[in-house]
Amino acid sequence: MVLREDTENREKQYLSTYATKACESRGRKIKEEKCSIRTDFQRDRDRIIHSKAFRRLMHKTQVFLAPEGDHFRTRLTHTIEVSQISRTIARGAGLNEDLAEAIAMGHDLGHTPFGHSGEAVLNEIHPGGFKHNVQSLRVVELLESASSSRRGMNLTFEVKDGILNHTGSVMPVTPEGQVVKTSDRIAYINHDIDDAIRSGIITADDLPADSIAILGDTHKKRIDTLVKDMIENSCGRPEARLSKEKADAMNELRTFMFKNVYHNEQVKRVEDVNKVRIIITSLYEYFMKNSKFLPEELLMMENEYPLEELVKDHIAGMTDRYAINTYEELFVARGWR
């Protein structure tokens, strides 16, 4: 039998000097008895995967609103791709694969329904704004419980830091968190190119020639190039990063995608974006006026948090179809549906 101590000893023996070892974690906010088999980072990964918030990612938009086809990415498939890329880089660079996987699995738990369109609306109407990475941290710290006796998953410091800082200007404190931060971009830029070509929004010939010459002319080649570059530039170093050449090429692709896909009216048709705005705004206003209809687990916190915070939590946790169904139940006459 391979016990937790055996795994922790292997980490000390085989991982990079700069890797984050499970036995050296800064720990959990609430102390727990150690698992006999799994390290703390492995337990964190399992708690995330078994959570309701993780399952809901299956029915949350990635980029394309209401896509007609079975092969477009969802927030869940994006998460799995980020995890796979992160694990490969971590393994190749001698970093802690379990920590990278746990961060990757949890990084988007706080995303709203309808992808970034939903996030933009909630950011406008909610006092103080809305950021999905901050909400992801709130999910694991408070809203999703791994035990009936306490709130939150009680994850380790390193996993929570990676989830919070997977996007934005602040870098995660661990190289594994830095791997996930870059892997998230590697994944979404390339799979969104794939989806955009499939939908006919762009063609492969439209992609910037300089970037393609450096990274490769297929989805597979670009991922392979970026992963290998990340490994080569992270081995034996305290920080995990891409080379400047590959990072610049990837950023050029990202700029192209924002200009030609993410803001393209065929991807986010005006009428669809307006529907998202109406749904999110209407639900927010309704629950602000009718808080008694919030879920019981949120009502239990009404003396601890402002009502608008709990309403935001409820809406951010909705899947696309649940938000639509709730809107129709509340605002659409039955005979008109």
Side-chain angles (χ1 to χ4, degrees), residues 21 133 175 211:
K21 283 73 171 181
N133 57 315
S211 293

Side-chain angles (χ1 to χ4, degrees), residues 131-147:
K131 293 184 182 297
H132 76 269
N133 57 315
V134 175
Q135 187 66 16
S136 294
L137 182 63
R138 185 169 168 84
V139 169
V140 301
E141 282 198 317
L142 178 70
L143 300 178
E144 184 83 40
S145 298
S147 166

Side-chain angles (χ1 to χ4, degrees), residues 228-264:
K228 288 179 177 176
D229 184 81
M230 188 81 172
I231 292 171
E232 291 170 2
N233 283 274
S234 304
C235 280
R237 297 179 182 179
E239 295 181 349
R241 61 178 61 180
L242 289 167
S243 66
K244 186 177 186 307
E245 179 191 43
K246 301 302 190 297
D248 288 346
M250 185 175 73
N251 288 334
E252 184 180 9
L253 277 182
R254 183 173 182 268
T255 300
F256 169 86
M257 291 296 289
F258 269 96
K259 180 179 179 180
N260 295 280
V261 176
Y262 300 142
H263 296 157
N264 188 300

Side-chain angles (χ1 to χ4, degrees), residues 70-110:
D70 294 334
H71 301 125
F72 290 90
R73 269 74 171 190
T74 66
R75 189 62 58 183
L76 179 59
T77 58
H78 162 72
T79 294
I80 294 171
E81 290 185 36
V82 174
S83 175
Q84 179 270 320
I85 293 170
S86 298
R87 288 171 55 205
T88 301
I89 293 171
R91 188 185 310 122
L95 300 174
N96 195 313
E97 189 176 340
D98 295 324
L99 174 56
E101 183 178 23
I103 295 169
M105 287 298 187
H107 82 283
D108 270 355
L109 292 180

Side-chain angles (χ1 to χ4, degrees), residues 116-129:
H116 290 290
S117 296
E119 182 176 15
V121 176
L122 205 49
N123 184 53
E124 290 177 14
I125 65 176
H126 178 65

